[in-house]
Amino acid sequence: MSDIPYKIYLEEKEMPSAWYNVRADMKNKPAPLINPATLKPMGFEELRGVFCDELVKQELDDVTPYFEIPDEIRSFYRMYRPSPLVRAYCLEKELDTPAKIYYKFEGNNTSGSHKLNSAIAQAYYAKKQGLKGVTTETGAGQWGTALSMACAYLGLDCKVYMVKVSYEQKPFRREVMRTYGAAVTPSPSDTTNIGRKILADFPGTTGSLGCAISEAVEAATSTEGYRYVLGSVLSQVLLHQSVIGLECKAAMDKYGIKPDMIIGCAGGGSNLGGLISPFMGEKLRGEADYQFIAVEPASCPSLTRGKFAYDFCDTGNVCPMAKMYTLGSRFIPSPNHAGGLRYHGMSGVVSQLYHDGYLEARAVEQTSVFEAATRFARIEGILPAPESSHAIKVAIDEALKCKETGEEKTILFGLTGTGYFDMVAYEQYNNGTMTDYIPSDEDLQIGFSQIPEVK
Ligand SMILES: *Cc1c(COP(=O)(O)O)cnc(C)c1O
């Protein structure tokens, strides 16, 4: 055994003091957000009606490499950060691989995922602006929980539109949010115009993320003193999540470890973007080289099979439009999909990096994801979130390839969270009733046909 500990903990004082903005080092910047009505790029004045001022500035800034992390956010981070970088000795042994496997564990807080890193930042800037509250949507509930925690801490109102099917099927998630003081509304609801319209057009619908986003945006823009916040996709969220990669890099540098390969699961791209940012910066500046792999569900394959185009971010077409890899805003994964990462689009930053060939993407089927999750849980102890398990799956695949070739590669992956609220999906897997569904080209064509033409 080498002298690298199982867990590499940074000291509190070694926590990053600034977030890193990878856009500053990108030659091809992500395309600007545009107004869905005028198709013109949206500037500060237009965006500040939806988002907090400071966050709009971060969103629009493609050139400043570092943003200082305010002290108040750093003190909140101290409650659960720095997060551990774990050497997966047990998994390596079980796989009998010469590869060295590390994972950065972000599940060590009550919300159970990395989303808290951006939730506290967004809530802080809303509070600082003197706002009364924020609105958002949540699907499986991790983001809503993280935001509820952050708002409770800062004394900010929090209105969460929760996809109706999750609201009904995940009562524990819902009650965690309410315990932290959030008002949780099942979406679509009759509290917004768009919600009422969707209910009239599709009676009995169980909702979707895109629809909940539209409701949350409408609620924010029509209520005095409120703004909308989003847990992924936006460049500001990637900026906040860079704390993951920065800590990782600091911990690895301490022990002279250089990863060959960095793997992250990709829903909207925020954890992946945050984890890879400082390493990608080195690659973009020509200082070092790494292999980056984004992992997505085969049933929601935005990077591997989507189109790179301007598209709506929500069903109601009220959000700014983004240029991204997308399956079309009306795309909904098949009903048997249980593994999360179901958003139809992808962060503009991650999309541009992928388009320019800096990043690879792989799509994996959910039964293989749960197989990897179970294997990991049994040997490393942590019960991983289904989302995170996409990264575990590819890390295991790569480690097994090393076993074939005898290469001693160093593999780093992001373990974004825990799966305690996902036991219905685990139950399906344990009962052998989980199935895979890969959409056909015809299936995908339906979503593509609704992507607007933007010249
Ligand atoms: C939300 C979430 C993801 C996916 O979101 P990204 O923005 O792609 O990072 C992954 N893992 C967990 C645990 C999540 O809660």
Side-chain angles (χ1 to χ4, degrees):
M1 186 156 294
S2 78
D3 51 0
I4 309 241
Y6 270 72
K7 287 203 180 92
I8 305 179
Y9 278 108
L10 293 176
E11 289 177 50
E12 270 179 34
K13 62 175 192 293
E14 296 172 296
M15 232 169 51
S17 57
W19 294 300
Y20 167 63
N21 180 13
V22 71
R23 288 171 290 167
D25 285 305
M26 290 170 66
K27 227 183 267 138
N28 297 331
K29 308 291 184 192
L33 297 173
I34 61 173
N35 182 320
T38 63
L39 303 184
K40 296 252 160 53
M42 294 176 83
F44 179 76
E45 283 308 322
E46 222 179 340
L47 284 169
R48 67 182 298 213
V50 184
F51 304 113
C52 309
D53 290 0
E54 210 56 42
L55 294 167
V56 172
K57 286 184 202 157
Q58 295 179 355
E59 192 64 32
L60 293 173
D61 193 328
D62 283 346
V63 293
T64 307
Y66 287 96
F67 285 79
E68 196 178 319
I69 306 176
D71 279 343
E72 293 88 335
I73 298 177
R74 278 168 58 87
S75 18
F76 186 86
Y77 277 171
R78 280 195 192 92
M79 290 199 283
Y80 67 102
R81 310 202 68 84
S83 72
L85 175 69
V86 184
R87 173 77 184 266
Y89 281 118
C90 303
L91 181 65
E92 288 171 19
K93 192 158 165 238
E94 141 101 0
L95 298 175
D96 189 25
T97 173
K100 301 177 185 72
I101 309 175
Y102 293 85
Y103 58 89
K104 178 75 167 161
F105 181 47
E106 290 291 320
N108 220 350
N109 67 76
T110 299
S111 77
S113 81
H114 66 285
K115 292 202 172 71
L116 197 54
N117 301 332
S118 184
I120 187 61
Q122 298 194 45
Y124 166 79
Y125 291 116
K127 182 77 184 178
K128 203 172 139 219
Q129 196 176 322
L131 296 174
K132 191 166 177 300
V134 290
T135 71
T136 199
E137 76 294 332
T138 200
Q142 290 100 320
W143 167 243
T145 309
L147 189 67
S148 305
M149 285 176 71
C151 287
Y153 179 78
L154 295 169
L156 203 61
D157 284 354
C158 180
K159 289 189 191 179
V160 181
Y161 287 85
M162 185 171 190
V163 178
K164 191 182 276 170
V165 59
S166 305
Y167 183 91
E168 283 159 5
Q169 289 179 359
K170 296 201 165 185
F172 294 162
R173 267 281 179 217
R174 185 183 75 210
E175 292 312 316
V176 175
M177 288 186 258
R178 294 181 61 210
T179 303
Y180 281 101
V184 188
T185 307
S187 167
S189 74
D190 60 8
T191 66
T192 62
N193 290 326
I194 183 76
R196 285 187 289 270
K197 181 170 185 316
I198 291 171
L199 283 173
D201 291 351
F202 307 96
T205 174
T206 54
S208 71
L209 214 46
C211 164
I213 297 176
S214 303
E215 285 208 277
V217 172
E218 184 185 322
T221 50
S222 61
T223 317
E224 181 70 26
Y226 275 78
R227 290 293 186 281
Y228 168 68
V229 294
L230 181 61
S232 183
V233 185
L234 296 173
S235 301
Q236 57 185 270
V237 183
L238 264 73
L239 175 71
H240 307 146
Q241 295 297 357
S242 70
V243 69
I244 305 173
L246 290 164
E247 279 185 10
C248 225
K249 184 135 193 347
M252 293 191 129
D253 285 348
K254 230 176 160 172
Y255 285 87
I257 306 159
K258 185 181 173 292
D260 295 298
M261 179 183 297
I262 306 176
I263 302 167
C265 63
S270 75
N271 87 82
L272 172 78
L275 173 68
I276 67 175
S277 272
F279 300 96
M280 182 61 82
E282 289 188 322
K283 180 158 171 156
L284 291 166
R285 294 189 302 270
E287 298 164 7
D289 197 16
Y290 305 95
Q291 185 183 5
F292 300 102
I293 308 176
V295 192
E296 60 185 12
S299 48
C300 190
S302 48
L303 283 173
T304 50
R305 295 174 69 196
K307 298 243 185 292
F308 189 42
Y310 267 108
D311 195 11
F312 301 109
C313 291
D314 59 325
T315 318
N317 307 353
V318 294
C319 272
M321 291 171 72
K323 188 172 181 192
M324 57 186 175
Y325 278 86
T326 177
L327 298 167
S329 60
R330 298 292 167 108
F331 177 85
I332 294 180
S334 74
N336 73 342
H337 176 80
L341 308 174
R342 45 172 50 240
Y343 189 62
H344 66 275
M346 182 57 61
S347 136
V349 173
V350 170
S351 292
Q352 188 65 51
L353 289 168
Y354 177 64
H355 194 70
D356 292 341
Y358 289 104
L359 170 81
E360 299 165 31
R362 297 213 190 136
V364 292
E365 291 173 42
Q366 63 180 2
T367 50
S368 71
V369 168
F370 278 83
E371 187 188 338
T374 305
R375 192 167 193 182
F376 182 83
R378 289 181 186 177
I379 200 75
E380 287 285 324
I382 295 170
L383 183 84
E387 292 91 342
S388 326
S389 306
H390 288 73
I392 298 177
K393 158 73 180 146
V394 169
I396 291 179
D397 285 352
E398 290 297 324
L400 291 175
K401 270 188 217 162
C402 289
K403 185 177 173 179
E404 299 286 308
T405 60
E407 286 173 290
E408 293 181 26
K409 284 190 182 166
T410 298
I411 299 170
L412 165 65
F413 72 90
L415 187 65
T416 49
T418 46
Y420 308 130
F421 291 100
D422 302 290
M423 297 325 289
V424 173
Y426 273 96
E427 181 186 26
Q428 285 173 13
Y429 177 74
N430 291 333
N431 286 344
T433 54
M434 180 174 278
T435 52
D436 291 314
Y437 180 77
I438 302 182
S440 67
D441 289 343
E442 291 73 43
D443 292 336
L444 293 184
Q445 201 50 48
I446 300 169
F448 293 152
S449 68
Q450 276 149 348
I451 298 175
E453 277 230 14
V454 177
K455 293 270 157 44

